[in-house]
Amino acid sequence: MASPLIFIDGDQGTTGLQIHQRLRGRSDLRLITLDPEYRKDARRRAEIINACDIAILCLPDDAARDAVASIENPGVRVIDASSAHRTHPDWTYGFAEMNPQQARRIATARRVSNPGCYPTGAIGLLRPLLEAGLLPADYPMTIHAVSGYSGKGRVGVEEFEGEGAAQVPAFQVYGLGLAHKHVAEIQQQSGLLERPMFIPAYGAFRQGIVLTIPLQLRLLAPGVDGQRLHECLVQHYADTAHVQVMALQQSKALTCLDPQALNGTDDLQLVVCENQQTGQVLLAAVFDNLGKGAAGAAVQNLDLMMAGQGAQ
């Protein structure tokens, strides 16, 4: 039986390049991309996507929708790395560790939407706690995150590494209209009833993320504290390969969180910090925005789908 044919559509962007680099040396699949002269040729793109087994879309949202609409071959499966389908009811959300059944759902899915980088950290922290009833679904949630500039795609890389890099601010808070496109994804996939406030930022480093969520214990049920929140996360992720929860003793000794600490890995580290005197808890996630936050998750989903091919 021939190894599956994998088409990366948009292999020149930051995520697409990373996925291509990860896959090009593998012998268990055959890799194809669009030649540069055909990148704006809709007919050629449609021909290739309908001839592959699994298409990985690393495109802007509208282009991703167009690519999916061009699929006529029912055998073609899709991983969409854009945000076009992340809240669509007919698409399987590609966060394998989200619940015990999600990896199996991804393995047999026809359409998988790769999570956004920021939502990976927010959902990774919030969903287990909401499902366990330790956080009320209507909690007035505030999420702050700082990403490396590669999260802005090629534009960010050119901005921070190009000729005008010296004039670029070292730290930029953005999304000040409070309408970032990741908010709907975070709310839906975590299980929040109310829209969270999300404040993102870019730092003057290429990749990596620290995402933090502050909690006031007085707004939680009696008896819920940092230890119970930590225990819930530990239990939820006990059998996962790529999500680790920092031990409480280790988190107590922390003086800072480095957004670049897990660069080059596909891991997601979750942290619970507590000040019992003030009744406050800080939830945090550290990961590579191009690893578990993008390309790493896409390859993880691809491997699940290839393994589940026989279960179709």
Side-chain angles (χ1 to χ4, degrees):
M1 183 177 178
S3 54
L5 191 62
I6 311 301
F7 171 42
I8 304 176
D9 194 354
D11 64 316
Q12 296 305 302
T14 51
T15 298
L17 278 170
Q18 285 265 331
I19 294 172
H20 190 273
Q21 290 169 3
R22 290 163 181 258
L23 298 181
R24 64 186 176 192
R26 289 178 48 167
S27 60
D28 59 336
L29 53 82
R30 294 169 294 152
L31 195 59
I32 55 172
T33 58
L34 267 173
D35 291 333
E37 63 266 31
Y38 293 120
R39 284 189 190 132
K40 295 184 179 181
D41 187 331
R43 183 185 62 81
R44 181 62 176 155
R45 172 177 274 111
E47 287 177 357
I48 295 179
I49 200 169
N50 279 284
C52 75
D53 295 297
I54 301 176
I56 304 176
L57 308 181
C58 304
L59 303 168
D61 289 2
D62 288 343
R65 294 185 186 96
D66 290 342
V68 173
S70 74
I71 298 174
E72 298 176 348
N73 179 354
V76 175
R77 305 170 74 191
V78 179
I79 299 171
D80 182 10
S82 83
S83 61
H85 299 101
R86 290 179 187 157
T87 59
H88 196 292
D90 296 335
W91 285 66
T92 299
Y93 194 62
F95 191 167
E97 299 86 0
M98 190 166 74
N99 59 54
Q101 297 79 38
Q102 201 66 11
R104 185 168 63 250
R105 293 189 183 113
I106 293 166
T108 57
R110 312 303 300 176
R111 301 287 184 267
V112 173
S113 184
N114 217 51
C117 55
Y118 293 131
T120 295
I123 295 161
L125 287 165
L126 293 175
R127 183 166 177 135
L129 303 178
L130 286 160
E131 287 185 339
L134 298 179
L135 295 181
D138 60 352
Y139 187 94
M141 204 68 67
T142 298
I143 302 164
H144 179 264
V146 182
S147 171
Y149 55 78
S150 61
K152 200 173 181 179
R154 282 188 296 175
V155 172
V157 173
E158 291 168 2
E159 182 180 354
F160 278 86
E161 297 180 6
E163 293 181 359
Q167 284 72 51
V168 178
F171 184 82
Q172 306 174 27
V173 176
Y174 67 104
L176 302 181
L178 303 179
H180 195 285
K181 67 179 182 178
H182 284 161
V183 174
E185 177 185 353
I186 292 170
Q187 181 178 351
Q188 177 175 302
Q189 301 298 347
S190 66
L192 289 168
L193 291 179
E194 302 293 338
R195 180 182 178 89
M197 286 193 68
F198 175 53
I199 304 97
Y202 289 127
F205 52 95
R206 200 174 206 277
Q207 59 199 81
I209 286 179
V210 166
L211 179 144
T212 55
I213 304 173
L215 299 174
Q216 301 285 348
L217 293 181
R218 61 184 171 77
L219 300 180
L220 307 184
V224 176
D225 58 9
Q227 183 170 339
R228 284 193 66 187
L229 297 171
H230 181 267
E231 288 171 353
C232 177
L233 292 174
V234 169
Q235 182 178 6
H236 182 90
Y237 295 110
D239 299 321
T240 64
H242 292 295
V243 184
Q244 296 89 38
V245 182
M246 182 181 288
L248 275 179
Q249 284 302 114
Q250 187 178 353
S251 66
K252 288 177 182 178
L254 285 175
T255 57
C256 65
L257 287 170
D258 179 3
Q260 302 178 83
L262 292 179
N263 281 2
T265 78
D266 294 334
D267 294 338
L268 169 65
Q269 185 174 63
L270 306 180
V271 183
V272 179
C273 298
E274 180 180 28
N275 186 318
Q276 294 180 342
Q277 290 183 324
T278 63
Q280 296 171 321
V281 167
L282 185 71
L283 307 177
V286 179
F287 55 107
D288 185 345
N289 61 291
L290 296 179
K292 185 59 173 170
V299 173
Q300 183 181 4
N301 289 329
L302 174 65
D303 288 337
L304 286 168
M305 294 169 75
M306 288 172 55
Q309 189 72 36
Q312 296 298 302

